[in-house]
mmCIF file of all heavy atoms in Angstrom:
data_model
loop_
_atom_site.group_PDB
_atom_site.id
_atom_site.type_symbol
_atom_site.label_atom_id
_atom_site.label_comp_id
_atom_site.label_asym_id
_atom_site.label_seq_id
_atom_site.Cartn_x
_atom_site.Cartn_y
_atom_site.Cartn_z
ATOM 1 N N VAL A 93 0.655 152.323 -48.561
ATOM 2 C CA VAL A 93 -0.140 151.188 -49.051
ATOM 3 C C VAL A 93 0.190 150.924 -50.515
ATOM 4 O O VAL A 93 0.357 149.770 -50.928
ATOM 5 C CB VAL A 93 -1.656 151.451 -48.864
ATOM 6 C CG1 VAL A 93 -2.491 150.394 -49.576
ATOM 7 C CG2 VAL A 93 -2.007 151.495 -47.372
ATOM 8 N N VAL A 96 3.465 149.035 -50.765
ATOM 9 C CA VAL A 96 3.356 147.594 -50.526
ATOM 10 C C VAL A 96 2.737 146.893 -51.743
ATOM 11 O O VAL A 96 3.186 145.817 -52.140
ATOM 12 C CB VAL A 96 2.560 147.290 -49.246
ATOM 13 C CG1 VAL A 96 2.318 145.805 -49.074
ATOM 14 C CG2 VAL A 96 3.297 147.853 -48.029
ATOM 15 N N ARG A 97 1.755 147.531 -52.339
ATOM 16 C CA ARG A 97 1.137 146.954 -53.552
ATOM 17 C C ARG A 97 2.205 146.791 -54.642
ATOM 18 O O ARG A 97 2.305 145.756 -55.288
ATOM 19 C CB ARG A 97 0.023 147.835 -54.058
ATOM 20 C CG ARG A 97 -1.220 147.830 -53.218
ATOM 21 C CD ARG A 97 -2.209 148.840 -53.786
ATOM 22 N NE ARG A 97 -3.458 148.826 -53.066
ATOM 23 C CZ ARG A 97 -4.386 149.752 -53.217
ATOM 24 N NH1 ARG A 97 -4.214 150.750 -54.074
ATOM 25 N NH2 ARG A 97 -5.504 149.681 -52.513
ATOM 26 N N TYR A 98 2.950 147.864 -54.896
ATOM 27 C CA TYR A 98 3.951 147.846 -55.951
ATOM 28 C C TYR A 98 5.049 146.845 -55.610
ATOM 29 O O TYR A 98 5.469 146.058 -56.456
ATOM 30 C CB TYR A 98 4.532 149.246 -56.146
ATOM 31 C CG TYR A 98 5.412 149.353 -57.366
ATOM 32 C CD1 TYR A 98 4.860 149.700 -58.593
ATOM 33 C CD2 TYR A 98 6.777 149.117 -57.293
ATOM 34 C CE1 TYR A 98 5.670 149.786 -59.739
ATOM 35 C CE2 TYR A 98 7.574 149.211 -58.420
ATOM 36 C CZ TYR A 98 7.032 149.538 -59.621
ATOM 37 O OH TYR A 98 7.820 149.638 -60.739
ATOM 38 N N ALA A 99 5.509 146.861 -54.355
ATOM 39 C CA ALA A 99 6.593 145.966 -53.934
ATOM 40 C C ALA A 99 6.183 144.499 -54.073
ATOM 41 O O ALA A 99 7.010 143.661 -54.450
ATOM 42 C CB ALA A 99 7.017 146.268 -52.501
ATOM 43 N N SER A 100 4.920 144.198 -53.809
ATOM 44 C CA SER A 100 4.488 142.796 -53.880
ATOM 45 C C SER A 100 4.600 142.252 -55.289
ATOM 46 O O SER A 100 4.899 141.064 -55.483
ATOM 47 C CB SER A 100 3.062 142.648 -53.363
ATOM 48 O OG SER A 100 2.129 143.244 -54.221
ATOM 49 N N VAL A 101 4.388 143.102 -56.286
ATOM 50 C CA VAL A 101 4.534 142.695 -57.666
ATOM 51 C C VAL A 101 6.003 142.776 -58.116
ATOM 52 O O VAL A 101 6.569 141.849 -58.666
ATOM 53 C CB VAL A 101 3.635 143.536 -58.593
ATOM 54 C CG1 VAL A 101 3.884 143.209 -60.051
ATOM 55 C CG2 VAL A 101 2.182 143.342 -58.240
ATOM 56 N N PHE A 105 6.665 138.661 -54.440
ATOM 57 C CA PHE A 105 6.463 137.940 -53.203
ATOM 58 C C PHE A 105 5.843 136.585 -53.527
ATOM 59 O O PHE A 105 4.889 136.467 -54.287
ATOM 60 C CB PHE A 105 5.530 138.688 -52.258
ATOM 61 C CG PHE A 105 6.089 139.997 -51.728
ATOM 62 C CD1 PHE A 105 5.235 140.922 -51.167
ATOM 63 C CD2 PHE A 105 7.419 140.296 -51.795
ATOM 64 C CE1 PHE A 105 5.702 142.116 -50.653
ATOM 65 C CE2 PHE A 105 7.915 141.494 -51.298
ATOM 66 C CZ PHE A 105 7.053 142.403 -50.728
ATOM 67 N N GLU A 106 6.377 135.541 -52.901
ATOM 68 C CA GLU A 106 5.878 134.206 -53.168
ATOM 69 C C GLU A 106 5.094 133.629 -51.990
ATOM 70 O O GLU A 106 4.439 132.601 -52.108
ATOM 71 C CB GLU A 106 7.027 133.275 -53.518
ATOM 72 C CG GLU A 106 7.675 133.673 -54.838
ATOM 73 C CD GLU A 106 8.794 132.746 -55.242
ATOM 74 O OE1 GLU A 106 8.887 131.618 -54.698
ATOM 75 O OE2 GLU A 106 9.569 133.123 -56.127
ATOM 76 N N ASN A 107 5.159 134.310 -50.831
ATOM 77 C CA ASN A 107 4.431 133.806 -49.679
ATOM 78 C C ASN A 107 4.123 134.952 -48.711
ATOM 79 O O ASN A 107 4.606 136.067 -48.866
ATOM 80 C CB ASN A 107 5.216 132.691 -48.992
ATOM 81 C CG ASN A 107 6.614 133.129 -48.593
ATOM 82 O OD1 ASN A 107 6.786 134.188 -47.994
ATOM 83 N ND2 ASN A 107 7.592 132.309 -48.927
ATOM 84 N N VAL A 108 3.314 134.645 -47.726
ATOM 85 C CA VAL A 108 2.893 135.647 -46.758
ATOM 86 C C VAL A 108 4.073 136.146 -45.926
ATOM 87 O O VAL A 108 4.121 137.331 -45.561
ATOM 88 C CB VAL A 108 1.782 135.055 -45.850
ATOM 89 C CG1 VAL A 108 1.421 136.022 -44.727
ATOM 90 C CG2 VAL A 108 0.559 134.721 -46.651
ATOM 91 N N GLU A 109 5.028 135.289 -45.653
ATOM 92 C CA GLU A 109 6.184 135.704 -44.852
ATOM 93 C C GLU A 109 6.958 136.840 -45.541
ATOM 94 O O GLU A 109 7.375 137.781 -44.874
ATOM 95 C CB GLU A 109 7.112 134.511 -44.570
ATOM 96 C CG GLU A 109 6.530 133.492 -43.604
ATOM 97 C CD GLU A 109 5.500 132.550 -44.230
ATOM 98 O OE1 GLU A 109 5.508 132.391 -45.469
ATOM 99 O OE2 GLU A 109 4.685 132.007 -43.469
ATOM 100 N N GLN A 110 7.151 136.731 -46.829
ATOM 101 C CA GLN A 110 7.832 137.804 -47.564
ATOM 102 C C GLN A 110 7.035 139.087 -47.490
ATOM 103 O O GLN A 110 7.599 140.175 -47.315
ATOM 104 C CB GLN A 110 8.074 137.405 -49.015
ATOM 105 C CG GLN A 110 9.114 136.319 -49.192
ATOM 106 C CD GLN A 110 9.235 135.884 -50.648
ATOM 107 O OE1 GLN A 110 8.263 135.854 -51.390
ATOM 108 N NE2 GLN A 110 10.436 135.559 -51.039
ATOM 109 N N PHE A 111 5.744 138.978 -47.607
ATOM 110 C CA PHE A 111 4.867 140.142 -47.541
ATOM 111 C C PHE A 111 4.951 140.778 -46.146
ATOM 112 O O PHE A 111 5.087 141.991 -45.998
ATOM 113 C CB PHE A 111 3.425 139.713 -47.849
ATOM 114 C CG PHE A 111 2.517 140.822 -48.204
ATOM 115 C CD1 PHE A 111 2.418 141.264 -49.499
ATOM 116 C CD2 PHE A 111 1.733 141.426 -47.227
ATOM 117 C CE1 PHE A 111 1.553 142.294 -49.835
ATOM 118 C CE2 PHE A 111 0.857 142.460 -47.558
ATOM 119 C CZ PHE A 111 0.781 142.897 -48.868
ATOM 120 N N MET A 112 4.898 139.956 -45.109
ATOM 121 C CA MET A 112 4.972 140.459 -43.736
ATOM 122 C C MET A 112 6.328 141.109 -43.449
ATOM 123 O O MET A 112 6.397 142.134 -42.767
ATOM 124 C CB MET A 112 4.698 139.322 -42.740
ATOM 125 C CG MET A 112 3.259 138.849 -42.735
ATOM 126 S SD MET A 112 2.066 140.154 -42.361
ATOM 127 C CE MET A 112 2.543 140.608 -40.708
ATOM 128 N N THR A 113 7.385 140.537 -43.960
ATOM 129 C CA THR A 113 8.717 141.120 -43.773
ATOM 130 C C THR A 113 8.759 142.512 -44.354
ATOM 131 O O THR A 113 9.265 143.452 -43.740
ATOM 132 C CB THR A 113 9.803 140.222 -44.437
ATOM 133 O OG1 THR A 113 9.795 138.945 -43.793
ATOM 134 C CG2 THR A 113 11.178 140.851 -44.314
ATOM 135 N N GLU A 114 8.197 142.675 -45.545
ATOM 136 C CA GLU A 114 8.169 144.002 -46.193
ATOM 137 C C GLU A 114 7.315 144.979 -45.371
ATOM 138 O O GLU A 114 7.699 146.135 -45.185
ATOM 139 C CB GLU A 114 7.614 143.901 -47.602
ATOM 140 C CG GLU A 114 7.846 145.123 -48.437
ATOM 141 C CD GLU A 114 9.301 145.354 -48.795
ATOM 142 O OE1 GLU A 114 10.049 144.371 -48.947
ATOM 143 O OE2 GLU A 114 9.705 146.520 -48.927
ATOM 144 N N LEU A 115 6.190 144.505 -44.851
ATOM 145 C CA LEU A 115 5.347 145.375 -44.008
ATOM 146 C C LEU A 115 6.090 145.810 -42.751
ATOM 147 O O LEU A 115 6.018 146.970 -42.354
ATOM 148 C CB LEU A 115 4.046 144.653 -43.633
ATOM 149 C CG LEU A 115 3.030 144.498 -44.723
ATOM 150 C CD1 LEU A 115 1.860 143.624 -44.241
ATOM 151 C CD2 LEU A 115 2.520 145.839 -45.201
ATOM 152 N N LEU A 116 6.808 144.893 -42.132
ATOM 153 C CA LEU A 116 7.558 145.227 -40.917
ATOM 154 C C LEU A 116 8.674 146.222 -41.226
ATOM 155 O O LEU A 116 8.921 147.151 -40.452
ATOM 156 C CB LEU A 116 8.121 143.969 -40.263
ATOM 157 C CG LEU A 116 7.064 143.064 -39.636
ATOM 158 C CD1 LEU A 116 7.700 141.728 -39.191
ATOM 159 C CD2 LEU A 116 6.371 143.740 -38.474
ATOM 160 N N LEU A 117 9.349 146.050 -42.350
ATOM 161 C CA LEU A 117 10.388 147.002 -42.744
ATOM 162 C C LEU A 117 9.769 148.384 -42.978
ATOM 163 O O LEU A 117 10.358 149.398 -42.578
ATOM 164 C CB LEU A 117 11.110 146.524 -44.002
ATOM 165 C CG LEU A 117 12.029 145.313 -43.812
ATOM 166 C CD1 LEU A 117 12.507 144.804 -45.171
ATOM 167 C CD2 LEU A 117 13.202 145.660 -42.918
#
Side-chain angles (χ1 to χ4, degrees):
V93 170
V96 174
R97 289 176 177 168
Y98 189 90
S100 69
V101 174
F105 294 164
E106 294 183 16
N107 55 49
V108 174
E109 289 78 22
Q110 290 176 325
F111 197 87
M112 290 302 297
T113 298
E114 194 69 32
L115 287 174
L116 291 171
L117 289 171

